[in-house]
Every structure is written in structure tokens, then in C-alpha cells.
Amino acid sequence: MRAFIIRRIGQSILVCLGVAVVTFLLLRLAHDPVYVLLPPESTKEEIETLRKAMGFDRPLPVQFAFFVGRLLQGDFGNSFVMAQPASALIWERMPATLELSFAGMAIALAVAIPLGVLAAFRRNTLIDTFCTSFAVSGQAMPIFWLGIMLIIVFAVQLKVLPVSGSGSLLHLVLPAVTLALNLAPIIMRLTRSRMLDVLNQDYIRTARSKGVVERTVLFRHALRNAAISVVTIIGLQFGRLMGGAVVTETVFAWPGVATLVVSSIYNADFPVVQAATFYLAIFIVAANTLADIAVAWLDPRISRG
Amino acid sequence: MTTEARPAVGVAAASREAPADVRGGAPLGYRLWRVRYGLVGAVIVLAVLSCAFLAPWLAPHDPYRGVVSQRLIPPAWEAKGSASNLLGTDQVGRDYLTRIIFGSRVSLAAGFLSTVLAALIGIPLGVTAGFFGGKWDGFVSFAVNVMLAFPGVLLALAVISMLGPSFLNLILVLGITSWPLYTRVVRTEVMSYREQEFTTAARGIGGTQGRIILRHIFPNLASTILVVSTLEVAHNILREAFLSFLGLGVQPPIPSWGGMLSEGRTYMLNLWWLAAFPGIAIFATTLGINLLGDSLRDFLDPHQTS
């Protein structure tokens, strides 16, 4: 188990390094990064000074080494618009994004797992058809449109919930539900198919042939084993969760990282964009790693290879 | 695997064979759904494709010319609606139905072209990684893991903010951020073929590696690639719509569903339909493509029915 954890963490550190490379290259996609980093009205001297200061006149590997060095100190440079370190701005916004993400994930799990289990258990019935149709249409739904429709129905027509912004628990309802509706279909489908796999196993047949009550078969035998897969699912959906949070935040003007990124993109405030991309990616790597370790802990067969 | 019904609790032991769903036991509604959903998908996709190709003939008006005196007309069934603008008009007096019909062009073109680009990057990487294994495989898998660490749409946002918004950049960005799925799926499948008899046989009669890959392994991948591509087109249509919604995709006045949704959102307080219709168009299109993709998967790969 310990060897597995160490190996898994080692891999994650490598992936983080890869994330750093991509974040680094992102800035080089532009013709000349200096023009992106400086506001358009800068003078020639300013441009040259920055080029030297940032080391853009040096070879790429050297630049990368410097970039990683600054990265380790959490230094992405200052935001052009706010005159504050980009990292500080991101961390200020992170709690709101996490709040939304966790609320969305919690609702999604609360809806999707029971539905997935139910659909698998009542396979080929109308209940199954209903659950599957819900999942299929949910997956095709543009999440930002769904958010707008929810605003129109609940905030504009019924006037029971606020249109956008944050501050109270009521403000959280619509964004969290939107995010949850984006996540629930895939979680439901995965839960259903894992549950079907488990229900097909020999030990379930054995339990049934011994005369174990169906309810015990489902809850004691099947669900416990399916739970392992569900943990994996949660870990794997983290990237999707963050992506969904990005979209949801922009629709509801939720004061998280994504709203900041989008406004930074409009303002060509690149250090902020870069920092946000990097931190959210690291976050996802960490979540995936934790999920993997949790699964290995739940299922000893995995860490023993 | 038997399909043994347990009437006491109503559980049918899950059968792995797809046709069993269609044949018997299941209620009529379920069976109809299983048989028809691929057809429904195909009909929707065909309808959207006809809109895209026949837009100038199908659309009742000019998508770019607005009539100032006829701004923000509600849809025909509302009190102040008119029959000549079935879905009403937008804030510059352009026919909304016409713009929706023309909008299918951007969505389909962006979804299709970016998926082709993703396939061109992802498939060769996946095939070679799965076939040769070793260090190259290690490197490719690493690259896939790194790409998957980014919250999809955020990387696309960041890249487009560097390149600037345009249709070409949109396709580039969606393509270079969505190849890992191809690589991952193709790699796993090639690894399973590598040790099978037909590959060993081809090697035995002296086939070169290039020939084995192209003539023996690649044809086996066709169905997987087709299924992944269908689902990716739908996915990329959704992402294109979001980027255009943020104003980072196709630029106005070119009609795009994401862009129209973003303009319509301004009027959501009293003119809800302006935001509703483009979204319904996006939803129907991706739903159609997904249904088609799901049924293709069931049809082409009987092992994977879930």
C-alpha cells in the first residue's frame, strides 16, 4: 500500500510538471509574449525592459527553468488590471469556486447514485427507460443555456430565487443545481453500468441461490462493491466538475475563479489566466490522486497490482 | 447469462446481449425506445444537416438584413406575433428562424472540423503508443494525463485568449484540446489486438510493422473511431457554443447559436424566447448526434452494451 501511494504521488508530481510545461507554452503561443504581457499603450523601453526582466531573450529551456522557479514560489507576476499578484487574486476567488463545486457535486451524487442503482436494479423497465432518458437528455444539454432557462423560470417568472450573484444560501441554489444537472447524467450512467456488472457476478448468483433476500443481495452484496467504482467515478469527474463550474460561474456571475478568468481574458490580463489554468489543473491532479489512493484503500487488489 | 425474471421483486438478471432488450420481457415502451432512439437521432441529424446545406433555400429571410421597424417581434403564436416571422425577430429586426437555420452551419462546421483535427492528432498517437509500447507509450500516456488535468473548457479559453477569436482559431483550439480521448480509447484497443492471432499471423508471414498497423489493426479500429467521433462532434458543438456565447468564438454578425444565446440573454427579463430558441437548437442537435452515437455503439459493438 505504501509503495503504491508513493508511486502514485510520484506520477502526480510528474503530471504537475507537465501541466507547468503546458502553462508555460501557452504564453509562447502568442507571436511575442511581451506584447501579451504588456498593455497595448506601452513604450518601446518598457517592452525591452520587460523582455529582459522576464528573460524572453534567453533560450527556451533556460526560460522554462526560470518559469518553474517562480512557479514554485507561486509567482505568476502581477495582474495588469488589479495591480496585485495574480496568485493572490486566484486564491481570493478559490473558496467561492470550491463552494459551488462541492454543492454541485453533492446534489449530483444525491440524485445520480440512487437513480443509477434503481435503473440497474429495475433494468429494462419503464423506470430504467425514464432514468436513462433523463441521462441522455442531460448530456446533450448546454449547461449555460440550462442555467439561463432556470434563471428565467425561477428568478424572473416565479421570483423565488435571486437572478445571480452570491451572498446567501439562496444564491447558491440555482448555480449548484445547474452544475449538478450537468454532472448527474454521467454519474448516473456509470453507476448504472457498474451496478449491472456487479449484479452479473457469480457471488451475487451464489447469494441468490442460497436464498438470500433480494434486498440483502442488493444492499449488502452488490452496493458495497459498486461503491468502489463510485469513488473512482467521483475522482474522474473532478475535471468535468471544474469545467462545469467555469461555465456555471459565468452564467450566474458567481464570484469564483472562472468569472475572474473570463473577465481577465476580455482585459487581456494574461498572468491571471495563466495562474488560474495552472492552479485548477493542479487541483484536479490532486483530486484524481486522492481518489486513486482511496480506491486502492477500499480495494486491496489494486495496490497489490 | 440467463434472463431470469424474479417476479417477487421484479428484478431481471442483467443480460449482456443487446437484442434481448429488444426481443421480449421488457415493456413495450422500453422496447420501442431501444429500437427507435437511433432512428430519432438519425432523423434529427439529417434535419440539421439539411438546414446547414440548404440554408439559403430553406430560410424565409436574409440572415443579415434587419428591418428597423420590425425589431423584437415575438414568435407567431404570441399576441403580437406575425406569420412572416415564425420565431419572431431579434434586436436588429432580423428574422430569428432564418438566423437559427443559418446558425447550424457554424455549429456543424466547428464540431465536425475540430473533431477531424482531434482525430488526426489523437489516433496516430494512440495507435503507435498501443502498438510499440515502451518509452513512447509512457510518453504518450503522460501527455494524455497532462491534457486531461486541465478543466476542458478552461484550456480552450486560455488558448483562444492567446490566439484571438476567429473561426479558424476556434477549430484549432477545440481540436488541440480534445485529442486525448481518441488516444486513450485507441491505445487500449490496439494493445488488445497486438497479441491476438491475426497480428501474430501477419508478423509470421513477414508483414512489416507499418503494414500490420495499416492493413491489420487499423480496420479493426474503424467502429470505435466512428463511435468516438460521433460523441466528440456533439461535445465540440457544445464547447463551440459556449465559446461563442462568451464572444470568443465566431464573431457577429455571423449567426451562431452560442452568439445568439448570448445576445438573447440580455432580454431574458421579458423576451425569454430569444434565449430559449438557440439553446433548443443546440440541445436538439447534440441530442440527435448522441443518440446516433449510442445506437452506433450498440450496433457495432455488442460486447459493450450497458
Side-chain angles (χ1 to χ4, degrees), chain A residues 123 129 140 197 251 266 270, chain B residues 15-16 30 162 246 265 286:
Chain A
R123 191 180 195 225
T129 314
D197 284 348
V251 173
Y266 293 141
F270 203 73
Chain B
S15 157
R16 285 205 166 258
Y30 185 83
M162 296 303 313
L246 290 179
R265 179 197 189 189
T286 37

Side-chain angles (χ1 to χ4, degrees), chain B residues 212-284:
Chain B
I212 293 174
I213 292 180
L214 287 178
R215 294 294 297 273
H216 298 276
I217 291 188
F218 201 70
N220 280 299
L221 296 173
S223 64
T224 305
I225 290 174
L226 187 64
V227 171
V228 173
S229 302
T230 333
L231 301 176
E232 277 296 279
V233 168
H235 187 212
N236 278 330
I237 286 179
L238 284 179
R239 299 202 301 160
E240 178 276 325
F242 180 61
L243 289 178
S244 296
F245 173 72
L246 290 179
L248 296 168
V250 181
Q251 298 300 303
I254 301 171
S256 73
W257 293 336
M260 291 168 72
L261 188 43
S262 148
E263 286 164 7
R265 179 197 189 189
T266 333
Y267 301 93
M268 72 182 173
L269 287 182
N270 33 27
L271 309 173
W272 55 269
W273 54 84
L274 288 175
F277 295 145
I280 293 172
I282 302 169
F283 172 63

